Amino acid sequence: MDRYFENIPEIRYEGKDSKNPFAFRYYDKDRIVLGKPMREHLPFAMAWWHNLCAAGTDMFGRDTADKSFGEVPGSMAHAKAKVDAGFAFMKKLGVEYFCFHDVDLVPEAEDIKETNRRLDEISDYIVEKIRETGIRCLWGTANLFSNPRYMNGAGSTNSAEVYCFAAAQIKKALDLTVKFGGRGYVFWGGREGYETLLNTDMKFEQDNIARLMKMAVEYGRSIGFTGDFYIEPKPKEPMKHQYDFDAATAIGFLRRYGLDRDFKLNIEANHATLAGHSFQHELRVSAMNGMLGSIDANQGDDLLGWDTDEFPFNVYESTLCMYEVLKAGGLTGGFNFDAKNRRPSNTPEDMVYGYILGMDTFALGLLNAAKLIEEGELDAFVRNRYASFRETDLGRRILSGGETLASLSAEAERLGKPTPPESGRAEYLEGLLNRAMFS
Ligand code: XUL
Ligand code: CO
């Protein structure tokens, strides 16, 4: 089981001064932070697709990494070797969860009956590994974007037969998620969008996507799935415009169709920035709507305008992320490294370095965010900033809902002019952030 990573030791915490490349410098799984061990704050997951399937192919060139794991790619022996390698990898790193698409697990056959048979076979094998290791499934999903039949979308397709295949894949992926004891089920609408409105009935397509999601909820609950469904927003790529553009758009959609009781959001850092938002913005919008469910932990590149899926190393981002997560009371899901090695980082060691980097970045973010919360200055500043609403007679009357435009207009005339608002103190607060991060 160990043979793919045989030259790599188990990764342990050695502290920030360690020079050992195969050690954590910040992720100390049993360290108590704000009353809970780090591993409970940070349920990390391995993304099956990037780690075990993707081998560096891009639009301009072929694979650079060898992900055959000693077997012929496209065979069931290869599918099993990926399971062996994946579980060995997670054990080495102490990663306790995995996320998967149906077609990450087995080669897809021409006939869906055969694909489903292969999925039954491999999932029996995965269940054995789950029992052996205690590693669990964070979430599952169906890949409704790679197969050419999804050219015009899956839930949003113009073809009733293609829609039927999307439903079949979702049913099977839900069966697998439940079989693996998964905590969540994700919808990322990769092809749910449009290239041109000249050929698109947007309302018809969105009604159909919602119908499919309702069927998924009904079926999932009927087979004992008690976890959350998630929408993973993304504004574009592969489509020019995707329907789940950002958190606010996805929440509006879920509420419009009455799906908000069963769904939360899976927020991906690189998708947030593609939408022109910060990661923290998308987390805050989700949290304030009670919909922060899970996180795809990665980062984009300021110089590139697409989904680069890099392993996260930006500690400002992970600190502000963990600040939002802690204030929201944690996640029902976890932190899935939807991240891949750079194309020239093509060895098994690089796979391990990617996860060490990501896990340490989030552990450091957690420690910094806990410091900010314990110091309490940011919280106090924000609370005070709105004091005029809570601590004056006028403010309290507005909050109680008893005022009208006419009564407020009379009040304005009585005042003549307002007391000038106080400074927002952005630079001072950014200094506090730096102090928590570097002292
Ligand atoms: C694509 C993406 C997906 C989803 C799952 O940008 O993030 O990998 O996370 O389908
Ligand atoms: Co993702």
Side-chain angles (χ1 to χ4, degrees), residues 151-153 156 189-203 205-206 209 235-245:
M151 164 178 103
N152 296 327
S156 60
R191 306 262 174 208
E192 315 293 31
Y194 61 81
E195 291 301 332
T196 168
L197 282 176
L198 297 178
N199 67 11
T200 300
D201 183 338
M202 195 193 291
K203 176 154 190 319
E205 294 195 357
Q206 294 200 2
I209 294 170
K236 56 190 167 190
E237 198 201 356
M239 303 305 279
K240 181 168 87 177
H241 186 106
Q242 287 180 203
Y243 293 139
D244 304 321
F245 191 94

Side-chain angles (χ1 to χ4, degrees), residues 49 101 139 145 188 232 234 268 271 296 307 338:
W49 53 103
H101 301 82
W139 52 255
F145 43 90
W188 168 60
E232 182 178 323
K234 184 175 182 182
E268 177 163 325
H271 295 180
D296 271 12
D307 197 12
D338 195 350

Side-chain angles (χ1 to χ4, degrees), residues 235-423:
K236 56 190 167 190
E237 198 201 356
M239 303 305 279
K240 181 168 87 177
H241 186 106
Q242 287 180 203
Y243 293 139
D244 304 321
F245 191 94
D246 60 1
T249 312
I251 291 167
F253 172 88
L254 291 171
R255 292 202 175 133
R256 177 149 50 99
Y257 292 103
L259 289 160
D260 48 316
R261 283 178 307 282
D262 293 283
F263 273 79
K264 289 190 165 62
L265 300 183
N266 179 40
I267 297 298
E268 177 163 325
N270 204 166
H271 295 180
T273 47
L274 273 179
H277 300 306
S278 66
F279 187 21
Q280 189 187 12
H281 170 95
E282 288 293 83
L283 296 167
R284 179 76 62 92
V285 170
S286 310
M288 75 182 205
N289 283 287
M291 288 211 181
L292 177 55
S294 205
I295 285 176
D296 271 12
N298 63 12
Q299 71 180 52
D301 187 312
D302 288 345
L303 303 182
L304 304 173
W306 62 91
D307 197 12
T308 57
D309 284 344
E310 296 175 27
F311 280 96
F313 65 87
N314 184 326
V315 180
Y316 280 100
E317 292 290 303
S318 67
T319 298
L320 293 172
C321 165
M322 292 315 298
Y323 189 67
E324 296 300 322
V325 170
L326 289 174
K327 285 174 75 71
L331 303 173
T332 55
F335 297 81
N336 166 47
F337 288 112
D338 195 350
K340 61 184 179 217
N341 288 112
R342 296 306 85 194
R343 193 165 181 264
S345 303
N346 59 351
T347 69
E349 287 80 4
D350 291 304
M351 293 165 71
V352 174
Y353 291 147
Y355 275 72
I356 294 176
L357 175 67
M359 291 164 80
D360 265 347
T361 298
F362 273 82
L364 200 43
L366 169 66
L367 294 172
N368 293 336
K371 228 190 279 177
L372 285 169
I373 285 176
E374 275 166 346
E375 289 169 359
E377 286 177 71
L378 288 182
D379 262 343
F381 185 90
V382 173
R383 220 176 15 257
N384 278 336
R385 191 153 178 253
Y386 302 93
S388 76
F389 280 93
R390 299 202 180 92
E391 288 164 23
T392 68
D393 185 49
L394 171 64
R396 281 194 289 263
R397 285 198 328 261
I398 294 172
L399 293 189
S400 73
E403 294 298 315
T404 63
L405 279 192
S407 69
L408 290 178
S409 162
E411 182 73 27
E413 285 191 16
R414 196 187 61 73
L415 287 168
K417 61 179 180 147
T419 314
E422 283 157 22
S423 164

Side-chain angles (χ1 to χ4, degrees), residues 156-194:
S156 60
T157 181
N158 58 317
S159 153
E161 284 193 6
V162 170
Y163 192 87
C164 173
F165 276 75
Q169 272 189 258
I170 294 169
K171 175 179 178 294
K172 193 68 183 172
L174 270 165
D175 287 337
L176 297 174
T177 303
V178 170
K179 187 166 174 180
F180 300 152
R183 277 164 85 148
Y185 183 87
V186 162
F187 282 87
W188 168 60
R191 306 262 174 208
E192 315 293 31
Y194 61 81

